Amino acid sequence: MSVVSGGAVKEPSPRLARPQRWGDAVRPPRTEKRNAPAQVASGGVEAAPIRLTRRGRIVLIALIAALSLVVLWLGTRAAVTASTSRSVEGLPSVTVQEGDTLWGIAVQTGEDGDPAVVVREIMDLNGLPDPLIRPGTTLYLPGDGPGQ
């Protein structure tokens, strides 16, 4: 209550209440002074906690998610680069001629077994995304096959 000039007593106006929404902070009533620092058991001064608004929490979560995606993307690129950077020193090579195919080159290597496995090894060793090869390209062959 407050006294207004003329001796009339004026009741404090009630705070305009709005319905509570999801994400609104529910705070307990304060018992200490607003500007007084909280005391720690050891006698030191504790820093005030960081308070984030709803928008701040959304932005923080979005930044963490974006950072995580960037780290995952860079990790996969590093793994692909590491797996395709195999040393080709000392491996036999062949220069692709007109009409050559990876299947034909795999059969010519003379290895026993399925030529499809050798085709996959040639593609991995040379970093080929598909089995299409062009004349004049130098391909490295796995193992100790014949070279040209």
Side-chain angles (χ1 to χ4, degrees):
M1 290 194 295
S2 60
V3 178
V4 181
S5 63
V9 176
K10 180 181 175 188
E11 292 294 322
S13 61
R15 188 173 172 187
L16 295 176
R18 63 175 174 83
Q20 185 152 359
R21 297 180 299 182
W22 181 85
D24 284 350
V26 179
R27 298 187 183 115
R30 290 186 170 264
T31 56
E32 73 268 355
K33 292 182 181 179
R34 187 164 184 89
N35 293 333
Q39 295 295 321
V40 180
S42 64
V45 176
E46 180 183 345
I50 296 175
R51 293 186 181 164
L52 290 175
T53 62
R54 182 176 181 199
R55 181 184 299 168
R57 286 190 299 265
I58 291 171
V59 168
L60 183 64
I61 290 171
L63 284 174
I64 291 171
L67 182 63
S68 299
L69 289 174
V70 167
V71 168
L72 287 173
W73 180 71
L74 289 175
T76 57
R77 292 195 41 96
V80 168
T81 303
S83 67
T84 58
S85 62
R86 185 173 159 194
S87 176
V88 293
E89 296 223 7
L91 290 178
S93 64
V94 63
T95 303
V96 178
Q97 303 297 322
E98 187 71 35
D100 283 349
T101 62
L102 278 181
W103 190 270
I105 293 171
V107 170
Q108 287 176 2
T109 60
E111 293 186 20
D112 294 334
D114 188 11
V117 175
V118 179
V119 168
R120 174 83 318 202
E121 288 177 1
I122 293 172
M123 288 176 61
D124 291 341
L125 186 63
N126 293 283
L128 299 174
D130 53 35
L132 180 66
I133 54 175
R134 291 187 168 74
T137 305
T138 300
L139 295 176
Y140 292 99
L141 304 175
D144 295 327
Q148 291 182 358

